[in-house]
């Protein structure tokens, strides 16, 4: 096995695969190795739809090798350490791979065990999560089997990947209950102070919640689950004092706490929070100039989404090639992310924004109005865009731009 490459990419998910493909397009002879322990590549954004009974889970998974571009060396393995002074990454079993340039694209870590009792009961007792490929179909089963009662949906502290996903499944479930005339006490729990990080969209989502008569419980964090007793325990902080409140449920959808992957957090590449410390515009490491980062594992203060990866991919590839060849233009990333909020099975509120919460929709219509056309976009067009354009390293024209809208909410019919 070769042990040294011009470019090594750690992680072959959305970020790693798309950058590998883009680099190969820019320089077909460039020798690139991609390292990943997973047998499969997952299109995670559709897991929300799977949980809502609107998408086939089998279509969200493809064999890893089929997704990687031709001519790229795939090294199946798990990276355990970085030695940036030696230009080496270390794999499980102590294999050492050298590089001239490194791209870190290892995603975010899901900390299931941070909630006491959760792993013992996931997939049974009405406890589920769309954050696992194998469990998203169980979410749909739980929704269909719900005969009335209490349905709880939880969001952990930020940052998480797809900050909208914890509430998207609430809306899909609420829509199903409403259409089937099932009486439900629906509650959403978040340690945060609002429904969404961008106030412009948060106010519109308050309206969606009240349309479903769902209750938002702010400042509350899930800390323990007792599956057999169907009871969830929430930590509530009031005036700096913490207390625990038990709530019985019939359905519990949990989004796990998330953090920087441990092998990155414990490496010289990490910032104080454990993330790969890159410049938020160039995506180049602030201390190791031959290292770039992309996607959920970096320190950039954007919303961690595949939509962000789509726009980061050309930036990383262009800047890496400029550094490698000493010529060519450079690019910057503006923090773009998008969150298609499935307000019902049939409509989406398409939240698009950049750094500092700048509202930057692709279309001139008020993005706070849920629309059928965005549902089509989410369910049909975006999977196409992901597999056939972004994962192939092709560039998609920039469509988003800053636009102003009146403060008053438009018509919001989920
Ligand atoms: C339920 C859900 C809904 C979502 N909805 C949306 C949405 O609507 N829109 C949107 O844009 N985004 C959405 N996302 C987020 C989106 O999927 C991620 O932001 C995106 O996949 C990030 O890409 P990434 O390359 O950083 O990480 P990933 O795609 O997760 O890939 C990381 C890769 O790194 C590999 N890896 C991990 N550790 C190591 C290691 N030690 N060594 C080598 N390789 C390693 C993993 O195996 C994996 O293949 C959603 C995610 C979920 C879970």
């Amino acid at each position: 096995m070769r042990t040294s490459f011009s470019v090594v990419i750690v992680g072959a998910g959305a970020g790693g695969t798309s950058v590998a493909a883009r680099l190969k397009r820019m320089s077909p002879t460039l020798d690139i190795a991609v390292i990943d322990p997973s047998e499969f590549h997952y299109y995670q954004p559709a897991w929300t739809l799977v949980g809502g009974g609107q998408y086939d889970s089998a279509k969200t998974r493809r064999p890893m090798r089929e997704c990687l571009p031709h001519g790229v060396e795939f090294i199946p393995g798990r990276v355990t350490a970085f030695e940036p002074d030696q230009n080496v990454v270390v794999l499980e079993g102590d294999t050492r791979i050298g590089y001239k340039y490194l791209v870190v694209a290892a995603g975010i870590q899901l900390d299931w065990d941070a909630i006491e009792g959760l792993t013992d009961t996931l997939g049974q007792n009405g406890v589920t999560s769309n954050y696992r490929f194998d469990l998203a179909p169980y979410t749909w089963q739980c929704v269909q089997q719900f005969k009335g009662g209490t349905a709880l949906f939880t969001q952990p502290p930020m940052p998480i990947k797809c900050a909208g996903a914890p509430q998207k499944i609430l809306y899909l479930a609420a829509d199903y209950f409403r259409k089937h005339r099932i009486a439900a006490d629906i509650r959403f729990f978040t340690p945060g102070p609002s429904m969404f990080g961008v106030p412009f969209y948060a106010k519109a989502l308050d309206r969606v919640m009240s349309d479903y008569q769902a209750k938002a419980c702010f400042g509350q964090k899930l800390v323990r689950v007792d599956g057999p007793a169907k009871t969830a325990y929430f930590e509530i902080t009031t005036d700096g004092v913490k207390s625990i409140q038990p709530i019985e449920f019939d359905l519990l959808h949990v989004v796990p706490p998330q953090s920087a992957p441990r092998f990155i957090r414990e490496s010289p590449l990490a910032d104080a929070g454990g993330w790969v410390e890159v410049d938020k515009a160039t995506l180049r490491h602030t201390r190791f100039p031959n290292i770039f980062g992309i996607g959920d594992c970096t320190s950039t203060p954007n919303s961690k989404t595949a939509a962000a990866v789509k726009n980061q991919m050309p930036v990383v590839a262009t800047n890496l090639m400029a550094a490698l060849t000493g010529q060519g233009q450079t690019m910057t990333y503006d923090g773009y992310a998008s969150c298609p909020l499935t307000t019902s099975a049939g409509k989406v509120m398409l939240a698009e924004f950049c750094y500092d919460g700048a509202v930057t929709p692709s279309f001139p219509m008020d993005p706070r109005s849920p629309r059928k056309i965005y549902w089509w976009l989410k369910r049909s067009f975006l999977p196409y865009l992901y597999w056939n354009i972004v994962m192939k390293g092709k560039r998609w024209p920039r469509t988003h731009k800053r636009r102003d809208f009146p403060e008053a909410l438009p018509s919001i019919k989920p």
Side-chain angles (χ1 to χ4, degrees):
M1 186 177 93
R2 272 186 64 190
T3 54
S4 182
F5 298 85
S6 296
V7 178
V8 166
I9 301 176
V10 177
T17 300
S18 62
V19 164
R22 182 84 203 139
L23 288 172
K24 270 288 174 196
R25 278 183 185 275
M26 295 173 85
S27 174
T29 56
L30 188 64
D31 61 314
I32 303 174
V34 182
I35 308 170
D36 198 305
S38 176
E39 214 184 313
F40 296 103
H41 182 127
Y42 296 95
Y43 179 59
Q44 302 166 46
W47 291 353
T48 295
L49 297 174
V50 173
Q54 300 294 320
Y55 206 85
D56 177 4
S57 66
K59 282 167 56 187
T60 70
R61 182 171 87 161
R62 293 188 182 180
M64 189 64 96
R65 282 175 197 272
E66 279 179 22
C67 300
L68 287 167
H70 191 67
V72 162
E73 178 100 6
F74 177 51
I75 302 177
R78 186 179 301 279
V79 171
T80 54
F82 297 96
E83 294 178 5
D85 294 329
Q86 311 292 322
N87 294 331
V88 159
V89 296
V90 184
L91 274 65
E92 231 166 26
D94 263 355
T95 307
R96 297 163 66 80
I97 307 285
Y99 58 82
K100 280 197 195 121
Y101 281 84
L102 176 70
V103 179
V104 188
I108 197 166
Q109 179 173 292
L110 303 178
D111 298 323
W112 299 99
D113 291 332
I115 296 172
E116 193 188 328
L118 178 61
T119 42
D120 297 337
T121 189
L122 269 172
Q124 47 184 329
N125 302 313
V127 183
T128 189
S129 178
N130 285 346
Y131 274 66
R132 251 174 50 185
F133 170 77
D134 60 324
L135 287 175
Y138 181 62
T139 303
W140 177 228
Q141 207 179 308
C142 291
V143 170
Q144 287 174 295
Q145 286 170 356
F146 183 84
K147 298 288 173 251
T150 305
L152 310 181
F153 298 82
T154 73
Q155 176 172 301
M158 293 292 136
I160 63 169
K161 55 179 155 187
C162 194
Q167 63 188 286
K168 292 181 196 180
I169 186 58
L170 180 155
Y171 303 139
L172 291 177
D175 178 46
Y176 181 88
F177 300 153
R178 182 144 84 184
K179 284 174 179 155
H180 290 81
R181 300 179 195 283
I182 297 166
D185 170 10
I186 304 170
R187 298 188 225 171
F188 182 70
F189 294 84
T190 169
S194 64
M195 289 303 295
F196 205 69
V198 181
F200 177 78
Y201 296 110
K203 288 185 203 130
L205 292 164
D206 289 342
R207 188 68 74 80
V208 177
M209 287 290 282
S210 56
D211 195 272
Y212 285 121
Q213 295 180 337
K215 188 176 169 214
C217 306
F218 299 121
Q220 303 198 27
K221 187 171 82 167
L222 179 69
V223 289
R224 187 181 153 215
V225 182
D226 183 339
K230 293 207 153 194
T231 304
Y233 294 82
F234 293 90
E235 185 184 273
I236 306 172
T237 309
T238 322
D239 299 329
V241 180
K242 286 184 178 157
S243 60
I244 301 288
Q245 187 197 9
I247 301 179
E248 289 183 15
F249 62 81
D250 297 283
L251 188 166
L252 173 65
H253 181 272
V254 181
V255 174
Q258 296 168 41
S259 60
R262 191 166 159 200
F263 77 107
I264 294 176
R265 198 182 334 131
E266 293 174 350
S267 80
L269 271 49
D271 71 355
W275 310 97
V276 180
E277 187 171 13
V278 296
D279 178 89
K280 70 177 199 172
T282 63
L283 306 178
R284 194 171 190 174
H285 203 280
T286 52
R287 286 171 283 119
F288 303 105
N290 63 337
I291 299 180
F292 289 82
I294 185 168
D296 297 348
C297 67
T298 77
S299 59
T300 54
N302 59 281
S303 173
K304 295 184 184 298
T305 55
V309 166
K310 167 174 80 68
N311 286 34
Q312 292 174 349
M313 171 267 278
V315 176
V316 169
T318 304
N319 293 350
L320 190 153
M321 283 306 288
L324 184 73
T325 60
Q327 56 192 14
Q329 289 184 334
T330 55
M331 278 181 77
T332 56
Y333 169 59
D334 60 5
Y336 175 81
S338 139
C339 189
L341 292 139
T342 49
T343 55
S344 65
K347 280 193 189 174
V348 158
M349 181 189 297
L350 187 59
E352 293 177 276
F353 45 94
C354 286
Y355 282 140
D356 302 318
V359 176
T360 54
S362 294
F363 306 97
M365 304 95 84
D366 193 319
R368 293 169 295 182
S369 282
R371 291 173 204 274
K372 287 181 184 164
I373 182 81
Y374 297 151
W375 173 261
W376 171 82
L377 203 92
K378 163 82 187 158
R379 193 154 169 259
S380 302
F381 179 71
L382 292 180
Y384 172 85
L385 182 74
Y386 183 88
W387 292 117
N388 301 298
I389 305 292
V390 183
M391 290 311 115
K392 302 290 179 208
K394 297 179 191 167
R395 283 193 62 183
W396 189 252
R398 183 183 151 135
T399 47
H400 69 277
K401 68 172 192 183
R402 201 175 183 127
R403 301 176 204 261
D404 292 321
F405 296 94
E407 180 77 21
L409 287 175
S411 159
I412 293 177
K413 291 198 173 57

